[in-house]
Amino acid sequence: MAPAPSARGTVAFGPYRTWYRVTGDLQSARPTVVLVHGGPGSTHDYLLSLAALAEHGWPVVHYDQLGNGGSTHLPQAGADFWTVELFLGELDNLLHSLGVADNFVLLGQSWGGMLSAAYAARQPEGLRGLVVANSPASYPLWTEELAVLRAQLPPGVNETLLANEAAGTTDSPEYLEAMNVFYDRHVFRLPEKPTELTASMMEIANDPTVYFTMNGPSEFHVVGTLRDWSVVDLLPRIQVPTLLLSGRHDEVTVGAVQPYYDLIPDVRWEIFEESSHGPHLEEPALFMKVLVEYLRSLD
């Protein structure tokens, strides 16, 4: 169970509100670890176990990105509203509103890893470190890698997926059943889903505006506005020590992660052999050990 928060609330982001949760003391000499969740269109819930970093001495901030969870929902907003720049601006606003912009570490998971890398490439003065977890460096590259994983599914599964994608029936029961075959292999491999993961999945289902607009109907059918987005050209600009984390069975394959390792000047990479897309939930003890060792190295 995650430790109790020391503060919760919202900060103004233009006419909107961003929900946040603090664990630990933001006045600590150690940098605050700011957790940037995936999706886009998910919530902080599935990363809640990482609040335990506060018990090791690092204050932690979770937040829900605009459009989901406790933050302002905008179900009528069009595709031109939901942009990378919007979420970069929201992150910057949160850091300054909470007073941690002069001493922080970003930990971005999945889409949050790409967003965090793009923010780090701007070389903010207070950034001390970057953790990119289970994140592709390029959507076009990731799409190529996903095609390989899909082709390796049991006979008939990818054919069902392709047929429904072509017909526009990705909400059909047969598509959802076939989709779960992929998810059980490459998104979360354990037989029981933790409550915090279920909570985030339910939040996406409750308001899929952002997810459907920017990503698409599933993790592996990326047809939204992010389909051509890449941070590859930005990676050489990242100047802080960077930790890459991924799962051996991850939907974000080694090939999709490789540009981070090739192009960030100061980087190390840890692959969790028994995990897919959520090693912080699939191998939590090892994940926390690796993360704490990295954070101590920044001291």
Side-chain angles (χ1 to χ4, degrees):
M1 180 176 293
S6 49
R8 282 186 294 198
T10 63
V11 299
F13 175 49
Y16 314 116
R17 308 293 300 187
T18 299
W19 181 93
Y20 69 88
R21 179 191 198 274
V22 175
T23 313
D25 181 6
L26 295 185
Q27 304 306 312
S28 168
R30 277 180 160 166
T32 296
V33 180
V34 179
L35 300 173
V36 186
H37 67 69
S42 186
T43 61
H44 78 285
D45 300 86
Y46 77 100
L47 295 174
L48 201 51
S49 63
L50 299 184
L53 285 171
E55 297 173 341
H56 294 273
W58 287 273
V60 177
V61 170
H62 289 81
Y63 76 103
D64 286 338
Q65 293 162 23
L66 194 65
N68 289 86
S71 296
T72 304
H73 288 236
L74 295 152
Q76 304 306 317
D80 58 341
F81 178 82
W82 302 108
T83 64
V84 172
E85 283 301 320
L86 173 75
F87 291 106
L88 287 171
E90 181 185 34
L91 174 56
D92 187 66
N93 178 75
L94 178 74
L95 294 168
H96 285 88
S97 297
L98 295 182
V100 300
D102 61 346
N103 190 26
F104 68 102
V105 172
L106 287 179
L107 190 163
Q109 200 274 339
S110 197
W111 131 267
M114 292 186 76
L115 192 68
S116 298
Y119 190 83
R122 297 181 173 184
Q123 301 178 6
E125 188 173 341
L127 182 64
R128 303 292 176 244
L130 172 67
V131 182
V132 176
N134 316 99
S135 177
S138 157
Y139 274 88
L141 174 59
W142 186 31
T143 299
E144 293 175 11
E145 294 287 307
L146 285 168
V148 175
L149 295 182
R150 289 175 57 147
Q152 295 170 353
L153 293 173
V157 175
N158 197 33
E159 289 75 11
T160 298
L161 296 170
L162 290 169
N164 281 271
E165 289 161 2
T169 53
T170 54
D171 58 349
S172 70
E174 67 173 4
Y175 186 84
L176 297 177
E177 183 180 349
M179 181 180 77
N180 284 329
V181 176
F182 180 96
Y183 280 29
D184 289 345
R185 285 187 172 204
H186 300 298
V187 179
F188 188 75
R189 289 168 58 83
L190 298 183
E192 271 192 48
K193 290 184 175 64
T195 55
E196 57 264 42
L197 178 59
T198 301
S200 282
M201 294 174 71
M202 290 180 66
E203 289 282 1
I204 295 175
N206 288 339
D207 186 351
T209 304
V210 182
Y211 187 77
F212 283 4
T213 300
M214 298 185 76
N215 188 82
S218 70
E219 288 291 284
F220 49 79
H221 187 46
V222 183
V223 292
T225 57
L226 290 178
R227 61 187 177 275
D228 297 320
W229 186 46
S230 171
V231 296
V232 171
D233 291 345
L234 303 177
L235 300 180
R237 303 181 199 171
I238 296 174
Q239 298 298 307
V240 294
T242 300
L243 175 64
L244 295 180
L245 302 172
S246 60
R248 179 63 67 191
H249 308 282
D250 206 328
E251 63 173 350
V252 181
T253 62
V254 168
V257 176
Q258 192 69 43
Y260 290 108
Y261 189 72
D262 292 341
L263 297 172
I264 296 176
D266 183 358
V267 64
R268 55 164 291 206
W269 189 356
E270 185 82 24
I271 298 176
F272 294 86
E273 296 296 333
E274 303 303 321
S275 293
S276 56
H277 198 52
H280 67 287
L281 297 172
E282 294 168 285
E283 295 181 77
L286 180 58
F287 187 95
M288 187 61 70
K289 177 177 181 290
V290 170
L291 187 53
V292 167
E293 286 175 355
Y294 163 76
L295 292 171
R296 284 178 178 153
S297 75
L298 301 180
D299 291 343

